[in-house]
Amino acid sequence: MTFTFSRAAALLMLAATAVMPMATLAGGNHGHDDQHAEEAAKGPNGGTLLEQGDIALEITIVEQGIPPEMRVYAYRDGQRLSADQWQVAVELARLGGQTERLSFVAEGDYLVSQQVVSEPHSFDVAIEAEVAGERYHWDYESHEGRTTISERLLALSGVETAVVAPRQLRFTETLFGVVQPVQDRVYSVSAPYDGIIEALHVSIGQQVKKGDTVATVRSSDTLQQYPVRAPADGEITALKLNQGDHTRGGALLELADLSQVWVDLSAFPNVLEKLRVGMPLSVLTMHDAEAGHDGVQTTLSYIAPTMTGGHIARARAVIDNADGQWRPGMHVQAEVLTEQRQVPMAVSVEALQRFRDMDVVFGRFGNTFEVRMLELGGNDGRYVEVLGGIRPGTEYVTRNSYLLLADVMKDAASHNH
């Protein structure tokens, strides 16, 4: 019998590997045995309760309206001790080898950390306390946003990673417009003298060279024939008169040199203030834009000084059109590069997830993954600047990070503050 392993099955197995938080309370010099529980006991203030004999500590993290801080309460036989009766020091060991040592001062009937407890609040905790001359020690795990996945399941789920690194961000604005002939390359061809058109030697769409005969006219005054010649290279775009018509000073035909064309773009006020003549841009047909293809590179050559009745300003670029790809009247899209700058750290926009109403990526530490709450800067649509929350060089998940988020959300509700 042959079995096939589907993506859905991989996700089920991935979810089954979630690492649940476990509190380990180790006795210090009192010689208590280690205790293991799937969830630490809760104290009167909703924090983690650690007990040895008649002494108990309650560990809380408070962050509503203030930077996160740790507050510790002490109890003897269930009665709260005043803050001057005991001392405590806490060491937090995080994934990636970071260790933070917290010192405390008295505030009311509890001790409060002098250091901010940065996110994520996920660490192995070591506590040293002294109560009435007696020393106590506890170790326990306080994990959130963390999961461990085997290499096999990672491969099946399609998780990919990259490294937090410097990157150049490119900020663009999308404008829409229409291809137009270059105004001073459109020629209205007339006969120099009034007369009868005896022959038209061209048709619409025909390419001509400068000096080619496009019509023969018999002068009304001299009755002599004379040629009407093309004033430039180009394409016949319109015939204004027919053979046998009297010229009467009117145009015979229209000739356009379309080897270059204008791209007339529409810019709304919020975009207009970012535009400058000379900015590079990429012009794409609507089909190429939908297909994600690259466009033709050029620069902004003109920005109108006035607005239209629809509160739109006209911007313009010139593009080469030797192969005739860009036809007047064609609707196009342009990506204007309005800013580019180098940033010390950036992550892929695709990597971002929301965890506890914060923007996060999943850092990878071997086969363990953990959220990193990010302070974000500018976003160019592909990468976003990182101002804080993760170390340079950290490996992070770029693809399918939502699978890890689904995994860790199962125990997110147990996070203590």
Side-chain angles (χ1 to χ4, degrees):
M1 182 178 297
T2 302
F3 293 92
T4 57
F5 200 94
S6 67
R7 174 62 61 87
L11 302 189
L12 289 173
M13 293 185 67
L14 181 62
T17 62
V19 178
M20 297 299 292
M22 180 176 289
T24 303
L25 314 182
N29 62 328
H30 286 243
H32 288 230
D33 293 333
D34 287 356
Q35 303 173 42
H36 299 274
E38 289 204 357
E39 188 171 338
K42 299 293 184 183
N45 297 286
T48 299
L49 190 64
L50 312 174
E51 299 178 276
Q52 287 185 25
D54 60 350
I55 297 298
L57 293 188
E58 183 183 5
I59 314 298
T60 67
I61 293 179
V62 178
E63 57 184 326
Q64 285 80 11
I66 59 174
E69 62 186 27
M70 183 175 286
R71 296 179 184 178
V72 184
Y73 302 83
Y75 305 90
R76 185 191 294 275
D77 291 327
Q79 299 300 310
R80 185 176 296 179
L81 298 176
S82 62
D84 60 358
Q85 293 181 277
W86 55 286
Q87 295 178 331
V88 69
V90 174
E91 187 172 271
L92 308 176
R94 298 179 181 270
L95 277 178
Q98 291 177 265
T99 300
E100 303 166 21
R101 189 163 182 83
L102 306 181
S103 56
F104 292 78
V105 294
E107 184 175 274
D109 57 356
Y110 57 82
L111 300 184
V112 61
S113 64
Q114 294 180 283
Q115 297 79 23
V116 172
V117 184
S118 58
E119 298 278 6
H121 298 154
S122 181
F123 21 64
D124 294 338
V125 186
I127 296 179
E128 300 285 347
E130 183 176 323
V131 182
E134 295 288 336
R135 293 184 177 274
Y136 298 83
H137 176 82
W138 290 270
D139 293 294
Y140 71 99
E141 296 176 352
S142 178
H143 297 168
E144 69 157 343
R146 181 186 295 193
T147 188
T148 299
I149 314 293
S150 71
E151 288 287 349
R152 183 176 66 85
L153 292 181
L154 284 175
L156 289 169
S157 58
V159 169
E160 297 177 4
T161 63
V163 172
V164 178
R167 188 167 293 275
Q168 187 176 70
L169 300 186
R170 295 170 54 87
F171 299 92
T172 62
E173 292 291 340
T174 300
L175 303 180
F176 297 93
V178 179
V179 175
Q180 302 283 11
V182 176
Q183 195 170 62
D184 60 4
R185 294 191 178 201
V186 177
Y187 305 90
S188 183
V189 181
S190 301
Y193 311 105
D194 280 349
I196 302 298
I197 302 172
E198 291 200 338
L200 284 172
H201 305 292
V202 293
S203 57
I204 292 177
Q206 183 175 334
Q207 297 287 334
V208 298
K209 295 291 186 181
K210 181 178 181 179
D212 287 353
T213 299
V214 296
T216 300
V217 176
R218 183 176 296 276
S219 171
S220 298
D221 293 334
T222 66
L223 300 180
Q224 292 182 334
Q225 286 184 334
Y226 64 88
V228 179
R229 302 187 184 278
D233 294 352
E235 179 179 329
I236 306 301
T237 55
L239 295 177
K240 304 292 188 179
L241 296 174
N242 297 312
Q243 183 174 333
D245 288 344
H246 197 289
T247 61
R248 302 187 188 282
L252 285 78
L253 54 86
E254 187 177 272
L255 169 68
D257 176 3
L258 299 178
S259 60
Q260 286 188 329
V261 290
W262 281 345
V263 177
D264 282 346
L265 302 165
S266 299
F268 288 95
N270 63 321
V271 174
L272 180 62
E273 63 187 18
K274 303 177 185 178
L275 301 182
R276 301 289 183 275
V277 170
M279 282 182 168
L281 70 152
S282 175
V283 181
L284 306 92
T285 66
M286 302 305 290
H287 176 268
D288 284 344
E290 292 175 0
H293 296 162
D294 293 332
V296 172
Q297 305 302 309
T298 183
T299 57
L300 275 180
S301 58
Y302 172 77
I303 301 174
T306 59
M307 309 291 281
T308 69
H311 302 289
I312 296 172
R314 300 300 181 192
R316 179 179 297 149
V318 180
I319 55 177
D320 290 329
N321 189 37
D323 60 1
Q325 173 189 355
W326 305 96
R327 299 177 180 276
M330 178 184 290
H331 289 265
V332 295
Q333 175 178 320
E335 299 294 331
V336 183
L337 180 62
T338 57
E339 181 189 0
Q340 56 183 343
R341 56 188 169 89
Q342 188 75 14
V343 297
M345 290 195 299
V347 297
S348 167
V349 170
E350 185 183 3
L352 294 176
Q353 299 292 341
R354 293 288 290 179
F355 180 79
R356 290 203 291 109
D357 292 327
M358 289 178 277
D359 291 308
V360 303
V361 295
F362 280 87
R364 181 175 185 177
F365 306 89
N367 281 69
T368 300
F369 299 80
E370 189 174 81
V371 294
R372 288 292 178 264
M373 286 74 170
L374 304 182
E375 181 184 355
L376 300 178
N379 180 336
D380 70 359
R382 296 181 60 215
Y383 290 91
V384 57
E385 180 183 9
V386 176
L387 304 176
I390 196 168
R391 286 182 165 185
T394 300
E395 186 178 4
Y396 72 101
V397 177
T398 58
R399 186 168 178 267
N400 287 344
S401 57
Y402 70 93
L403 301 177
L404 303 177
L405 179 67
D407 197 13
V408 302
M409 288 301 291
K410 293 195 296 292
D411 57 41
S414 65
H415 176 64
N416 292 326
H417 289 78

